Amino acid sequence: MSRNVVMQIQVDEGLRARFHTAAARDRRAADQVLDELMRAYVARRAEGSGGCGSLAAGDERDLEALARDQRGWRCCPFGE
């Protein structure tokens, strides 16, 4: 049986406000949207593909670009 837990995270105040506005526009609670995003992220990582932003051995990509991609959810179906 699943048990709900509380998470505390630090996010930019403006981002938090825009997130709540976007969720409200979709008539969804913010926790539902976060749950969906987390499940999609975990599923993508579990596929073994490494998802976007994974750094394989010998990967020559720019680490700054990698960090931007990870923070920006650029390859996430919910992001840019």
Side-chain angles (χ1 to χ4, degrees):
M1 183 167 109
S2 256
R3 193 178 104 189
N4 290 334
V5 297
V6 174
M7 280 180 32
Q8 286 186 323
I9 60 171
Q10 290 183 347
V11 295
D12 177 74
E13 185 177 333
L15 175 61
R16 180 185 176 277
R18 291 189 310 273
F19 176 74
H20 278 276
T21 300
R25 249 192 318 251
D26 289 340
R27 294 192 168 109
R28 298 188 62 201
D31 64 325
Q32 291 175 333
V33 177
L34 287 172
D35 184 74
E36 185 177 336
L37 290 168
M38 290 172 73
R39 288 178 190 277
Y41 180 81
V42 169
R44 187 177 73 236
R45 300 300 282 176
E47 291 171 356
S49 66
C52 71
S54 66
L55 192 59
D59 197 335
E60 298 296 324
R61 286 183 291 168
D62 177 28
L63 291 179
E64 287 297 319
L66 175 65
R68 281 192 306 274
D69 287 346
Q70 288 179 334
R71 284 191 304 263
W73 289 78
R74 283 183 175 80
C75 63
C76 177
F78 307 103
E80 296 176 33

